[in-house]
Amino acid sequence: MSHQLPDVQSSSPEVSVGLNRVGVTGVEKLVKIAREDDRPIVLMASFEVFVDLPSWRKGIDMSRNMEVVDEILEEATAKPALRVEDVCGEAAERLLERHDYTTKAEVRMEAEYIIREETPASNIPTQATADIIASATATAEGTREEIGARVVGMTVCPCSQGMSESRARMVMEDLDIDAETIDAFLEEVPQPGHSQRGHATLTVESDGAPEVDLNELIEVARDSMSARIYNLAKRPDEDWMTYNAHADAKFVEDCVRALAEGVVDRFPDLPDDAVVYMEQSNDESIHQHNAHAERLAEFGQLKAELNGEN
């Protein structure tokens, strides 16, 4: 005689409170990104999958839900995708279909992405890394997808650089160097400032049209800081990074503004209701604390601000 196991998750909870996000995290899958005339890029991706839970239901049936999640992610990642955010979008829509008590499904993915490039001065082949961020939220109204990246770079503090420049000016004045020569020297040779390793995060969320190119987003993020950094660097490359970083000293706030300017410049056809998230976090070198700035705004609002309309 078989024994029917109780479906406790579908019963009513003792406390009738709905939950916004219930699901699983740390689900690892291989994702293939298609490329024209080349082999797909293979990513080891980590997924987070959530659905909302009404107040009348005790739980989402985690074991059965995990089977659904695994099945859906397997189907969504089985073939190469043109856009990594579409993998999340397909999975979120299928989750919504399979959960009759759910009004919203969310799928988030992160993966390390390898960029092949050359060092800036020695032109030696090397690789850089970026963390891809992709997500999708599916509701009865439709699906919104997000794509972006987190990258590392170098920043230099304008405040400490200004103090170094002031000191250099006083020393040269004491050496009876004329003001015109001092100005020319300081214009040509940026003065020291304390530097940081910076972390820039840039994402764009929209209804999927027009297409946002991941590689261009990464370029915008890398260029938002004082200088790019490179895993492999000969002495000419180290000199290039040091000089260029000090020639473009930026506060943490300036980096976020550069992200905004870069998005508006590189993606002029984004819809006004696309949501842009920009974040900069700097690992301070002369303090125990770190510096942080961020902005979340609709694309239309950013355009208006940069055009001086607000």
Side-chain angles (χ1 to χ4, degrees):
M1 180 177 177
S2 62
H3 177 62
Q4 183 70 34
L5 297 175
D7 187 4
V8 177
Q9 286 85 356
S10 62
S11 64
S12 298
E14 294 178 11
V15 179
S16 296
V17 174
L19 303 177
N20 295 114
R21 305 169 87 216
V22 181
V24 292
T25 64
V27 182
E28 295 189 341
K29 295 288 180 182
L30 288 177
V31 175
K32 297 178 182 178
I33 306 302
R35 291 186 292 177
E36 289 186 12
D37 304 321
D38 206 343
R39 290 178 301 174
I41 298 171
V42 180
L43 305 171
M44 173 57 81
S46 179
F47 286 90
E48 295 180 347
V49 179
F50 301 104
V51 296
D52 63 341
L53 191 68
S55 61
W56 53 264
R57 186 179 173 96
K58 191 174 184 65
I60 63 169
D61 188 351
M62 195 66 73
S63 61
R64 188 185 308 156
N65 192 66
M66 189 57 219
E67 290 180 14
V68 172
V69 167
D70 195 73
E71 175 190 333
I72 288 173
L73 289 181
E74 280 292 328
E75 292 172 356
T77 61
K79 56 185 183 299
L82 293 175
R83 303 196 308 167
V84 67
E85 62 269 39
D86 288 344
V87 174
C88 296
E90 182 180 347
E93 289 169 359
R94 293 190 182 195
L95 276 169
L96 195 63
E97 292 171 2
R98 298 285 288 272
H99 292 77
D100 54 6
Y101 55 82
T102 290
T103 60
K104 182 171 69 173
E106 299 174 63
V107 176
R108 180 180 176 86
M109 187 207 88
E110 290 200 14
E112 190 174 76
Y113 183 63
I114 304 299
I115 305 160
R116 295 186 182 275
E117 59 185 356
E118 292 184 348
T119 57
S122 300
N123 302 120
I124 299 172
T126 186
Q127 295 182 4
T129 57
D131 293 326
I132 297 176
I133 302 166
S135 70
T137 302
T139 65
E141 285 72 42
T143 302
R144 288 182 67 86
E145 296 179 347
E146 176 191 42
I147 184 63
R150 185 183 305 110
V151 303
V152 180
M154 179 179 176
T155 64
V156 172
C157 175
C159 186
S160 64
Q161 187 181 58
M163 291 186 286
S164 295
E165 183 175 311
S166 178
R167 182 183 297 107
R169 186 178 294 276
M170 286 189 296
V171 170
M172 286 188 281
E173 287 173 350
D174 290 342
L175 294 172
D176 293 327
I177 298 174
D178 63 274
E180 186 177 343
T181 302
I182 292 174
D183 290 342
F185 173 80
L186 293 176
E187 180 70 26
E188 186 67 26
V189 183
Q191 294 304 292
H194 75 84
S195 61
Q196 298 85 218
R197 178 175 291 181
H199 307 268
T201 302
L202 174 62
T203 69
V204 176
E205 179 190 349
S206 69
D207 61 3
E211 183 173 328
V212 177
D213 185 82
L214 172 62
N215 290 297
E216 285 196 50
L217 272 178
I218 291 173
E219 293 288 302
V220 170
R222 294 185 77 192
D223 286 337
S224 68
M225 291 171 274
S226 296
R228 295 187 179 194
I229 61 174
Y230 296 82
N231 287 333
L232 174 65
K234 305 290 284 185
R235 279 184 294 179
D237 303 309
E238 292 179 356
D239 177 65
W240 183 96
M241 285 184 275
T242 304
Y243 177 86
N244 279 277
H246 284 79
D248 191 18
K250 288 179 177 176
F251 290 118
V252 66
E253 299 93 334
D254 295 324
C255 295
V256 174
R257 295 184 180 107
L259 286 169
E261 191 174 34
V263 168
V264 171
D265 181 59
R266 296 287 282 271
F267 303 101
D269 296 327
L270 279 176
D272 283 348
D273 65 349
V275 177
V276 183
Y277 178 69
M278 301 152 286
E279 176 190 299
Q280 180 70 27
S281 182
N282 291 342
D283 300 336
E284 293 283 358
S285 59
I286 64 171
H287 307 294
Q288 287 189 330
H289 59 261
N290 295 326
H292 183 92
E294 61 183 79
R295 176 71 189 278
L296 178 71
E298 289 192 343
F299 184 71
Q301 176 67 23
L302 286 182
K303 276 196 306 184
E305 290 181 30
L306 288 167
N307 292 331
E309 298 172 12
N310 283 27

